Amino acid sequence: MMEKKLKPATLCVQAGWEPKNGEPRVLPIVQSTTFKYDNTEEMADLFDLKKEGYFYTRLQNPTNDAVARKIAALEGGVGAMLTSSGQAANFYAIFNICEAGDHFVTSNEIYGGTYNLFGVTLKKLGIECTFVSQEATEEEISAAFRPNTKALFGETISNPGCKILDIEKFARIAHKHGVPLIVDNTFPTPINCRPFEWGADIVTHSTTKYMDGHATQVGGCVVDSGNFDWETCTHIDGNAPLPSEGGKGEAKFPGLCTPDESYHGLTYTKKFGKMAFMTKLVAQLMRDLGSIPSPQNAFLLNLGLETLHLRMARHCENAQRVAEFLSQDDRVAWVHYSGLSTDECHALAQKYLPNGSCGVLAFGLKGDRQTAVKFMDSLKMIAIVTHVADARTCVLHPASHTHRQLSDEQLREAGVAPDLIRLSVGIEDAEDILADLRQALDQIG
Ligand code: PLP
């Protein structure tokens, strides 16, 4: 409760775990699968969701919950759930709303793994999606909606194209069609952008990235704003009371608005109000699918979160210097970094990311694919790794690595040029990063 009033930097350090008198100052790792009760009835009440409490870590664990509370506070949401990966977070966010026969619309400027999940794997479960260009007009994007469309999805800053989502535009389109906007906010983190303030309803994260920040563990998170009313299918102001009975939701979002037979006929919206989405996510999906992080990993994530505000500022400062350096070098064909005044996303960045975007930038070299390979192989301190957004500067060629399963046409659709090099600028001394880039550029001519 105290969390709403505190500034993001304080939330990074203090939110989630508020020790009582005599309790450990540092978040304890509750490395236990189970929790003990003295009588049968107490445990039965927990199973029936009549009481809150811990009984099995697949559903809830005190360490995991404390970290989820911190992320919810940072995003300004009503609740959050940790998952074992960012992939799981995006899957759960969609699957909590959509079932076989449903459809959703997504920007095509999204992470390659998410592109596959949406376009291939969800299709096998009977959930279809339509990929749209996020730069298209509201009318063009609206044309992709069908009567069975249940959500709109986008990434605040796309991986790897570094394009900025016009969140307000996407929110308008989603709400006009009576569906929630889900935004993957992995790259800016809530330090640099809080999508709920621009109308998004649900936020997802790969906490593997900046939130952990040290490349120690894979994880994800789903956060709910509590601002989408599933019964009436409308986005509501954060403080407005939920309209009571009988909207369109029974037909549109039956999973949330009609009785869940696996919970003795309980209806999530009726019993949990603004916590309906979160409760279903945990009590039904996590119960049945079980992609939880270990409490040990949640503890490591929390350590990362404690310095997130400091690291994001340094990532942005270093990336700005690197982007300016690359954009002035003759051997570089192009650079995408929204902090550059010449960047096509600069105006959107000024609106949504006034304090900086993130440390990731994309660029291409003059020459062919081999030029990119030679440049990357010449780097000394900057490593080639399948990762972004940790303390150490690293580089990747998506067409050869993360996105290699996509055809050239799909690559272009996903905003990934075959020559695109993704550089994730770390928090080392900027001079050392620039020196390594300079010497590698000298190797190519
Ligand atoms: N979302 C974005 C924007 C990502 O960049 C990634 C991974 O790179 C994911 C989701 C998937 O996250 P994870 O690797 O933690 O499963």
Side-chain angles (χ1 to χ4, degrees):
M1 286 302 105
M2 70 154 192
E3 287 154 6
K4 292 252 159 176
K5 294 180 208 119
L6 299 175
K7 302 262 190 303
T10 312
L11 294 176
C12 281
V13 183
Q14 297 266 359
W17 170 242
E18 290 167 33
K20 297 189 199 72
N21 194 35
E23 285 188 340
R25 182 75 174 100
V26 174
L27 172 68
I29 307 173
V30 182
Q31 195 71 39
S32 179
T33 56
T34 46
F35 299 82
K36 178 215 160 231
Y37 288 91
D38 288 339
N39 64 62
T40 334
E41 200 184 328
E42 252 185 281
M43 179 86 91
D45 284 350
L46 296 177
F47 269 99
D48 287 350
L49 301 180
K50 284 186 187 149
K51 274 192 189 159
E52 277 189 40
Y54 295 100
F55 54 101
Y56 191 55
T57 283
R58 171 152 43 80
L59 283 116
Q60 282 189 296
N61 170 282
T63 310
N64 295 5
D65 284 1
V67 184
R69 275 199 302 275
K70 177 175 282 188
I71 297 175
L74 280 165
E75 286 287 5
V78 291
M81 181 186 82
L82 297 189
T83 56
S84 55
S85 68
Q87 283 299 104
N90 280 329
F91 170 69
Y92 276 60
I94 295 288
F95 202 56
N96 207 32
I97 303 172
C98 296
E99 44 191 71
D102 286 345
H103 168 261
F104 65 100
V105 178
T106 175
S107 162
N108 57 15
E109 290 265 358
I110 52 174
Y111 166 61
T114 314
Y115 197 96
N116 260 336
L117 167 68
F118 288 178
V120 180
T121 302
L122 283 180
K123 201 169 177 181
K124 292 181 191 162
L125 296 176
I127 299 168
E128 273 194 71
C129 76
T130 303
F131 293 96
V132 294
S133 162
Q134 62 189 38
E135 278 133 41
T137 63
E138 293 191 29
E139 291 68 33
E140 283 164 340
I141 297 173
S142 285
F145 280 70
R146 306 174 188 169
N148 60 342
T149 302
K150 302 294 165 74
L152 179 61
F153 183 95
E155 288 177 6
T156 317
I157 303 176
S158 67
N159 177 10
C162 299
K163 298 280 174 59
I164 313 288
L165 184 72
D166 188 341
I167 304 173
E168 279 194 317
K169 175 175 96 173
F170 260 48
R172 255 194 321 274
I173 300 167
H175 300 152
K176 198 174 88 190
H177 292 89
V179 303
L181 171 62
I182 305 174
V183 171
D184 181 330
N185 198 35
T186 296
F187 272 17
T189 81
I191 296 302
N192 284 339
C193 180
R194 286 180 291 281
F196 295 155
E197 292 172 3
W198 301 101
D201 300 284
I202 289 150
V203 155
T204 59
H205 282 280
S206 165
T207 59
T208 321
K209 308 297 170 335
Y210 290 114
M211 284 193 170
D212 168 80
H214 301 80
T216 61
Q217 42 87 33
V218 175
C221 188
V222 183
V223 193
D224 183 19
S225 65
N227 290 345
F228 195 81
D229 176 29
W230 307 98
E231 295 264 351
T232 56
C233 309
T234 51
H235 174 87
I236 51 168
D237 175 73
N239 299 317
L242 285 173
S244 49
E245 297 293 303
K248 298 174 236 160
E250 287 188 10
K252 197 157 187 174
F253 301 110
L256 286 150
C257 304
T258 63
D260 177 359
E261 291 318 322
S262 74
Y263 257 116
H264 324 298
L266 167 158
T267 300
Y268 293 100
T269 44
K270 302 227 164 27
K271 177 129 173 95
F272 298 103
K274 278 177 182 281
M275 288 300 284
F277 180 90
M278 285 315 308
T279 310
K280 176 171 181 284
L281 200 61
V282 174
Q284 187 194 70
L285 290 197
M286 199 51 104
R287 177 197 64 186
D288 294 351
L289 300 169
S291 327
I292 49 150
S294 74
Q296 171 77 34
N297 275 359
F299 173 82
L300 290 171
L301 171 58
N302 189 52
L303 280 188
L305 285 165
E306 287 182 4
T307 56
L308 182 66
H309 54 301
L310 302 175
R311 290 183 288 104
M312 286 312 288
R314 181 62 173 259
H315 279 292
C316 293
E317 190 187 311
N318 281 357
Q320 184 69 29
R321 282 195 62 187
V322 168
E324 283 167 13
F325 162 79
L326 289 173
S327 64
Q328 282 154 20
D329 195 292
D330 283 346
R331 292 158 293 191
V332 175
W334 55 270
V335 183
H336 279 319
Y337 187 66
S338 60
L340 294 175
S341 57
T342 49
D343 192 78
E344 60 186 287
C345 291
H346 188 63
L348 283 174
Q350 283 186 310
K351 174 173 175 180
Y352 294 110
L353 304 151
N355 300 323
S357 54
C358 64
V360 183
L361 56 91
F363 69 100
L365 294 171
K366 289 178 185 158
D368 55 17
R369 192 178 266 242
Q370 268 319 105
T371 316
V373 171
K374 183 155 187 220
F375 165 78
M376 300 211 326
D377 289 350
S378 304
L379 291 165
K380 293 190 172 127
M381 179 187 82
I382 301 170
I384 301 171
V385 298
T386 307
H387 200 239
V388 277
D390 77 70
R392 303 157 203 89
T393 301
C394 61
V395 72
L396 188 87
H397 185 221
S400 318
H401 305 130
T402 45
H403 287 60
R404 61 184 294 119
Q405 72 284 0
L406 301 190
S407 67
D408 275 6
E409 199 190 330
Q410 286 173 318
L411 269 181
R412 273 188 288 275
E413 265 180 28
V416 184
D419 65 338
L420 184 151
I421 296 173
R422 186 183 66 185
L423 181 64
S424 173
V425 181
I427 56 174
E428 305 92 340
D429 191 309
E431 289 301 331
D432 290 330
I433 302 169
L434 294 175
D436 197 18
L437 292 170
R438 207 174 285 121
Q439 68 76 26
L441 284 168
D442 288 345
Q443 302 301 313
I444 61 165

